[in-house]
Amino acid sequence: MDPAYEMPILSLKINGKDTPAMFDSGAHFNAAIDEEILKKEGTSLDFANSFIDASGHVYCSKQYLVDLTIEKISFGPTKVEVYQPWGLHIGEKHTNSMNFKPVYVGAGLLKNYNILWDLGAGKMVLYPLSQAIPTNQEWEILSLNMTENGSEFYLTSNGHSITAIIDSGANISSASITRPVLTVHQKEGDELELFLRAGNFALEPLSVVVINSSQPPVDLVLGCDFLKKYKIFFDFHNKKIGISR
């Protein structure tokens, strides 16, 4: 990871060539890569995938086959999508605003690894699935619900149970007016301060933006502003998430 950016940047190699990439934990594909790169480095496949973006629009994306390596871990020949400017909600920011061509690594590629994030220290480590979350008192451990919307977990806000996902493709956190448990008196564009708990762990007050989006269908999307405050451990094998200061 590169601490010079506000979002998780990985050391990716495409066919052995260094290519900076953003890790988007809210995306289900293996990777989405600028077509100019894929035409040079990949093999085109006679197949296309469909995606629904944060605004509910459906996009069709061509696929290529390329050899990927991340942080010295080789994934071998991998099916990837052609990057398209999918509709981004107000909290999201993409690599076009940075100084390199759009390259995203999605959660689909890393599903066979546990992930330790310490975004504040510019650190992301991949572990084999056999390595579980540390069980010392520093970590609050919650259950993960693996759905097509992502890896959901439950927090509480003012005594209400709410569903949340972590989306490292969003630079700020957001709550949708389509899910009124948090936004019953709010309108789109408002800022809302939330007081959250993760199990017995009281989180720092979090400022979120109110959006009008039905994708993903969860109460709260936690972006990089949240990730900078905590260490996060995804244990996909045991369907757990650990949160620590």
Side-chain angles (χ1 to χ4, degrees), residues 113-134:
Y113 291 86
N114 287 332
I115 301 171
L116 173 63
W117 267 333
D118 187 351
L119 189 57
K123 177 176 156 185
M124 177 176 167
V125 183
L126 303 181
Y127 292 102
L129 292 178
S130 58
Q131 183 156 342
I133 299 172

Side-chain angles (χ1 to χ4, degrees), residues 14 31-35 37-38 66 68 80-83 102-104:
I14 300 176
I33 299 173
D34 183 81
E35 191 165 17
I37 296 174
L38 291 176
V66 293
L68 296 183
V80 303
E81 320 296 329
V82 171
Y83 166 80
V103 179
Y104 289 85

Side-chain angles (χ1 to χ4, degrees), residues 179-242:
R179 307 279 293 193
V181 66
L182 292 177
T183 59
V184 63
H185 299 302
Q186 309 297 320
K187 63 182 184 300
E188 186 175 13
D190 285 350
E191 289 192 12
L192 179 65
E193 188 173 50
L194 298 180
F195 298 89
L196 303 168
R197 296 189 69 87
N200 295 317
F201 185 20
L203 302 175
E204 295 179 25
L206 179 69
S207 178
V208 304
V209 173
V210 176
I211 63 172
N212 185 9
S213 172
S214 59
Q215 295 291 333
V218 295
D219 298 312
L220 185 62
V221 175
L222 298 169
C224 287
D225 52 347
F226 177 83
L227 282 172
K228 289 175 186 175
K229 297 180 179 181
Y230 304 99
K231 297 174 185 176
I232 307 292
F233 196 112
F234 278 107
D235 182 348
F236 294 118
H237 179 68
N238 294 301
K239 296 182 180 179
K240 302 289 184 183
I241 182 173

Side-chain angles (χ1 to χ4, degrees), residues 45-58:
L45 301 175
D46 294 325
F47 184 78
N49 262 350
S50 294
F51 296 96
I52 301 177
D53 71 7
S55 302
H57 296 122
V58 178

